[in-house]
């Protein structure tokens, strides 16, 4: 993995954790369905990121 790719990966992970932290803080204020949709969207984004990174690692 090149250093710029590694930095990008770390930035994406940090952004995901930041968004998750904001959503967890807001979950008390939001209705349950909104929280579930937001959590599902973040989870799907993280899964897509993991799959993309795994494929990139396999390619070399």
């Amino acid at each position: 993995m090149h250093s710029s790719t590694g930095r990008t990966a770390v930035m994406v992970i940090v952004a995901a954790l930041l968004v998750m932290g904001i959503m967890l803080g807001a979950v008390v204020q939001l209705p349950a369905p909104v929280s579930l949709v937001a959590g599902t969207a973040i989870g799907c984004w993280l899964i897509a990121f993991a799959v993309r990174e795994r494929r990139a690692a396999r390619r070399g």
Side-chain angles (χ1 to χ4, degrees):
M1 178 173 5
H2 294 94
S3 63
S4 63
T5 304
R7 287 189 192 127
T8 302
V10 170
M11 291 301 290
V12 170
I13 292 170
V14 168
L17 290 173
L18 178 64
V19 170
M20 284 176 47
I22 291 170
M23 290 307 297
L24 286 173
V27 80
V28 176
Q29 307 295 325
L30 297 173
V34 175
S35 298
L36 290 173
V37 169
T40 302
I42 292 169
C44 290
W45 177 38
L46 289 173
I47 290 170
F49 175 74
V51 168
R52 186 184 66 172
E53 288 297 313
R54 181 171 287 215
R55 285 184 184 166
R58 287 184 181 174
R59 289 184 188 155

